[in-house]
Amino acid sequence: MSRKIIAAVLVLSALTLGGCSFNSAEENKQVSEIVSAAASAAVSQREETESASAETTSVTSETAAVLIAEFAPPYIDDGKPPVVMAAEELYDTYPVKIIYPERQDVPDKVKTEVLQEDIYNSDGFLMVKFYAEYPVISGYDEAVCKRINDEIHEYIYGILESERKWAEQHEVGDLSENAVYKEYGFFSERKINIDGTLYDGDGCDINGNIFTVYFAACGGFAGSMYQEYPAALLFDLRSGERIYFSDLVEDKEGISKALYCALWDFRFNYGGIPFGTLDADKYINIPNLKKLEFVSDGFGVDEDGNLLVVYENADDRITVVDGCVSFYLWRADYGEFAIGVERADIPAKEIVPYLNEKGKSLFDGYVSAETEPPKVIEYKGKRWFDTTEWVPEIFDSKNLTEDDREFISMFENARKPGYYFD
């Protein structure tokens, strides 16, 4: 088996390992997924001359048990306090910290309007409660503002019209006897806003030539748990033209690799591989996987030449916000356990080289985010990047030592590090 094929197997296994869930069925699968990932890693180290079948069958259950132990090795309580080191002095690659530029204040240029409508069917039953918040921009060239506002208006009213059609055509029987209707007095609900519902939405962002609007579309049957689906509308403030990001890309292969790498770093830092599963020494193997000659897992170019991000058209995923070119992830992506919407970011200046002349012109004057290396924290015989959003649980949370407390407090980006001190 060639090294390229072996590496491909390892990438797929590692991605499977990355997805976790609080669902019990998913938890039961996790051990087998770890075995799969670890076994693939072991196979990749064998000589090229061995056949694929020999490589696979050689990984016995006994070997798998050893590999599980290697994946979660015992930590050494050597009595030493945590030590902070510089990542760039230890590793060639690491998950960087993103430093975001300060947002431009927009209240004097962007006002919010509300559209609200109760939608009934022909039998007089309240089918949909519709609510939308959307921005109206001013303060720029009048023709530019009109073009942008008309596009936003068309977007919102297009959703409203689709809800009207659904309400009229949807067959639900006698709603007066429907349990949902009897309980809530209406059948479904649709909300659209710019601040998010399950996610701390991005709102409106003005930077250089680009005006970005985040729309969070939430909806479902009355009383049910709603899903939030993000959408970003991008506009050129020079012309009022709506921007479709895929039209700006010249090097689709190059940008696909950059976005794919950002996915790995995001999932490592923000919970796709949770609870401190990967220490720094394990993480550094990921960039080697990312340097493959192909892009997988929903990134790349489809047979029609369309740029894909998370298996969908890039224009349905990509946004430009907070000095970054970013893409949205939501609950179903890669089996992530986090509820709601998440966003993976890349400083805009790192994406501009992949753009065509139109794209590069658009980003003239755009204030990009910056990056800086993380810190490396060494404790109990292991090293950890402080960028992870989960504190590695290598301590007895009920009997914290002073060193444990210091270790926990070093993860500034972690979700609720104070949880351990309650």
Side-chain angles (χ1 to χ4, degrees), residues 252-286:
K252 293 182 179 179
E253 181 180 349
I255 200 170
S256 294
K257 290 180 180 179
L259 295 171
Y260 184 50
C261 291
L263 172 69
W264 274 101
D265 286 347
F266 173 81
R267 298 186 73 216
F268 175 80
N269 287 333
Y270 298 106
I273 308 173
F275 312 123
T277 302
L278 290 182
D279 58 52
D281 293 315
K282 284 190 172 67
Y283 170 83
I284 61 173
N285 291 321
I286 292 178

Side-chain angles (χ1 to χ4, degrees), residues 71-380:
F71 183 81
Y75 300 104
I76 303 170
D77 193 357
D78 53 13
K80 297 180 181 179
V83 178
V84 178
M85 297 171 285
E88 64 270 33
E89 295 177 3
L90 298 170
Y91 304 107
D92 293 329
T93 56
Y94 36 76
V96 296
K97 291 182 178 179
I98 298 180
I99 312 302
Y100 299 96
E102 185 176 351
R103 273 201 183 187
Q104 180 178 335
D105 196 22
V106 300
D108 60 330
K109 298 178 181 178
V110 179
K111 305 297 181 184
T112 300
E113 294 195 358
V114 173
L115 173 62
Q116 201 165 358
E117 182 174 316
D118 290 343
I119 304 173
Y120 295 82
N121 66 7
S122 57
D123 295 322
F125 289 110
L126 177 54
M127 294 292 291
V128 183
K129 293 184 73 68
F130 182 88
Y131 177 89
E133 296 175 356
Y134 60 95
V136 175
I137 190 171
S138 60
Y140 293 89
D141 179 85
E142 185 175 342
V144 168
C145 291
K146 183 179 186 307
R147 188 171 183 181
I148 293 174
N149 291 332
D150 286 350
E151 185 78 32
I152 293 173
H153 184 277
E154 182 179 348
Y155 176 82
I156 294 296
Y157 275 80
I159 298 174
L160 174 61
E161 185 59 32
S162 68
E163 292 295 320
R164 288 170 176 166
K165 290 180 179 179
W166 178 87
E168 187 59 40
Q169 297 171 0
H170 191 63
E171 297 182 3
V172 293
D174 185 357
L175 274 175
S176 63
E177 297 299 321
N178 183 279
V180 171
Y181 196 88
K182 289 170 70 175
E183 175 71 20
Y184 298 98
F186 64 97
F187 193 63
S188 71
E189 190 172 21
R190 186 69 179 271
K191 293 181 178 179
I192 302 168
N193 61 35
I194 61 175
D195 295 320
T197 302
L198 302 174
Y199 164 76
D200 186 11
D202 292 324
C204 299
D205 188 19
I206 295 176
N207 189 338
N209 299 318
I210 303 174
F211 175 46
T212 301
V213 181
Y214 173 84
F215 280 120
C218 252
F221 294 119
S224 65
M225 179 179 287
Y226 296 162
Q227 291 273 3
E228 179 172 320
Y229 296 95
L233 273 62
L234 311 176
F235 298 95
D236 187 339
L237 287 170
R238 299 169 301 180
S239 64
E241 176 187 6
R242 182 172 173 183
I243 302 165
Y244 294 92
F245 195 85
S246 59
D247 293 340
L248 308 179
V249 178
E250 180 174 286
D251 182 358
K252 293 182 179 179
E253 181 180 349
I255 200 170
S256 294
K257 290 180 180 179
L259 295 171
Y260 184 50
C261 291
L263 172 69
W264 274 101
D265 286 347
F266 173 81
R267 298 186 73 216
F268 175 80
N269 287 333
Y270 298 106
I273 308 173
F275 312 123
T277 302
L278 290 182
D279 58 52
D281 293 315
K282 284 190 172 67
Y283 170 83
I284 61 173
N285 291 321
I286 292 178
N288 295 328
L289 303 179
K290 295 187 299 187
K291 293 176 182 177
L292 296 172
E293 296 178 4
F294 67 93
V295 177
S296 60
D297 293 287
F299 291 80
V301 182
D302 68 13
E303 59 185 12
D304 296 320
N306 298 311
L307 182 66
L308 298 179
V309 175
V310 196
Y311 297 99
E312 297 182 358
N313 189 300
D315 297 321
D316 295 329
R317 292 281 187 161
I318 287 183
T319 186
V320 179
V321 65
D322 290 336
C324 295
V325 173
S326 312
F327 57 92
Y328 292 112
L329 299 163
W330 48 91
R331 185 166 186 164
D333 296 331
Y334 308 108
E336 301 294 357
F337 62 88
I339 295 175
V341 176
E342 297 177 299
R343 195 187 81 201
D345 299 331
I346 312 172
K349 66 180 184 180
E350 297 181 14
I351 291 297
V352 168
Y354 304 110
L355 305 183
N356 55 30
E357 290 306 313
K358 179 180 178 180
K360 291 176 181 177
S361 171
L362 180 67
F363 277 88
D364 280 346
Y366 189 85
V367 181
S368 174
E370 302 290 338
T371 62
E372 66 178 30
K375 297 174 182 176
V376 176
I377 304 168
E378 186 172 62
Y379 188 48
K380 295 188 177 181

